Amino acid sequence: MVYRWRARSGDFTVWSASREKTVERVKTYIAKQNKSRLTQEGVMVGWSCPYCDRRNSAHDEHVALETFKKHLFEHKKPLLESGVHVADDINGTGSIAVLSPVESTSADNARVHFLSPGDVVIVVTTNPASRIDLLRSKLSEWPEWTVILTTKDDPLAGLSGVELMDIPVEIVHLDKQMGLGSLTETISRVLEEQQEPGRKIAFEFDILTELIQKAKLQRIFKFLHLLTGRLDDVNALSHFFVNRERMASSMNVLDPVFDMQLEVDGSLFLQE
């Protein structure tokens, strides 16, 4: 569970497991929104509060800014919530585009957050060893069952101290030449096998950036539309990683497929 702060206007939301980091990001946002309230008064830097009659000034610009940010946050502190999950904003199920490089600390933070509620975890990835290691080391306990779909011939390569027979993990090998239609059918079959009343499915898709680079956007849109529809049928919580720096224009086209888009910056999840 994490902290959440949302602007009343709804144009900015931040989530984080760290209260301190959440507050600091909020302070920066509020100060930026009210930067016109900062003034240079000779050798002094001054500020006036837009919400009350408070004014202050200091010789040091950094001191003045930090005091301003701290004061503004006191007005907005009631908007800080705790004990929430990002998926609460979409009623616990649906599809989320995570704008982050796939192999990064930010991505791993997102994985832990979105996979941890799942009784069953299903991951489509080209790096199965890293995903298994993350589940082993970062979750409080193994999910009831995990299915890894991958083209890797040796999915445990580079992973020490783990044998498939000893962990609740199933590997589904994908043909490297598999088309999008066959991939949809394979994922759909796995979802059907794992669907049970009351069983929560968490789904991760690592390879969207690579698919966008290889196929036409129209085909990708159709694929995602069918896949997210199937995930909705089983009330799954799904997330899809996209490298925003490489795929910004493509995401403008694909955005309608997802229930939410998030930027991930370390332990911060941002919507702005």
Side-chain angles (χ1 to χ4, degrees), residues 33-98:
Q33 296 299 109
N34 293 282
K35 60 184 178 180
S36 63
R37 293 282 182 157
L38 283 166
T39 58
Q40 188 76 40
E41 304 168 353
V43 296
M44 305 288 284
V45 177
W47 56 263
S48 60
C49 179
Y51 309 114
C52 69
D53 295 332
R54 179 74 182 276
R55 295 174 178 271
N56 207 331
S57 60
H59 288 286
D60 188 291
E61 181 179 356
H62 176 73
V63 171
L65 179 58
E66 289 304 309
T67 305
F68 183 49
K69 289 164 65 175
K70 182 178 180 181
H71 177 81
L72 289 175
F73 179 72
E74 289 304 312
H75 286 285
K76 299 295 185 178
K77 188 176 180 179
L79 298 178
L80 182 64
E81 305 168 84
S82 63
V84 300
H85 193 281
V86 172
D88 291 347
D89 280 36
I90 53 174
N91 297 319
T93 64
S95 56
I96 300 170
V98 178

Side-chain angles (χ1 to χ4, degrees), residues 236-253:
L237 173 60
S238 60
H239 64 284
F240 297 71
F241 285 102
V242 184
N243 190 324
R244 185 183 63 162
E245 294 180 0
R246 296 161 59 186
M247 297 293 132
S249 60
S250 299
M251 286 308 296
N252 291 333
V253 176

Side-chain angles (χ1 to χ4, degrees), residues 221-262:
F221 186 93
K222 181 179 179 180
F223 164 73
L224 289 174
H225 178 72
L226 292 172
L227 178 55
T228 55
R230 184 67 184 93
L231 289 163
D232 286 343
D233 289 341
V234 298
N235 295 317
L237 173 60
S238 60
H239 64 284
F240 297 71
F241 285 102
V242 184
N243 190 324
R244 185 183 63 162
E245 294 180 0
R246 296 161 59 186
M247 297 293 132
S249 60
S250 299
M251 286 308 296
N252 291 333
V253 176
L254 300 177
D255 178 61
V257 175
F258 301 104
D259 297 301
M260 179 188 293
Q261 275 197 35
L262 286 179

Side-chain angles (χ1 to χ4, degrees), residues 63-165:
V63 171
L65 179 58
E66 289 304 309
T67 305
F68 183 49
K69 289 164 65 175
K70 182 178 180 181
H71 177 81
L72 289 175
F73 179 72
E74 289 304 312
H75 286 285
K76 299 295 185 178
K77 188 176 180 179
L79 298 178
L80 182 64
E81 305 168 84
S82 63
V84 300
H85 193 281
V86 172
D88 291 347
D89 280 36
I90 53 174
N91 297 319
T93 64
S95 56
I96 300 170
V98 178
L99 307 183
S100 167
V102 173
E103 304 300 334
S104 64
T105 300
S106 296
D108 283 345
N109 289 332
R111 288 184 176 99
V112 171
H113 186 71
F114 292 119
L115 295 180
S116 57
D119 301 311
V120 174
V121 166
I122 301 172
V123 181
V124 182
T125 183
T126 57
N127 197 352
S130 290
R131 305 300 169 258
I132 293 172
D133 188 50
L134 183 79
L135 294 173
R136 174 180 65 168
S137 61
K138 297 298 183 181
L139 297 190
S140 58
E141 59 182 4
W142 282 102
E144 178 184 327
W145 193 245
T146 301
V147 183
I148 306 288
L149 294 87
T150 185
T151 56
K152 279 278 187 178
D153 295 326
D154 185 1
L156 299 186
L159 186 61
S160 60
V162 174
E163 297 290 340
L164 278 178
M165 66 181 68

Side-chain angles (χ1 to χ4, degrees), residues 163-203:
E163 297 290 340
L164 278 178
M165 66 181 68
D166 300 325
I167 57 176
V169 176
E170 173 189 357
I171 302 294
V172 175
H173 289 280
L174 302 175
D175 189 323
K176 294 180 181 179
Q177 305 304 316
M178 177 180 287
L180 294 180
S182 297
L183 179 57
T184 306
E185 291 174 4
T186 301
I187 295 172
S188 182
R189 184 168 63 250
V190 170
L191 290 171
E192 184 175 359
E193 292 171 354
Q194 300 304 324
Q195 183 182 13
E196 292 182 8
R199 208 181 202 189
K200 181 66 177 178
I201 296 176
F203 178 86

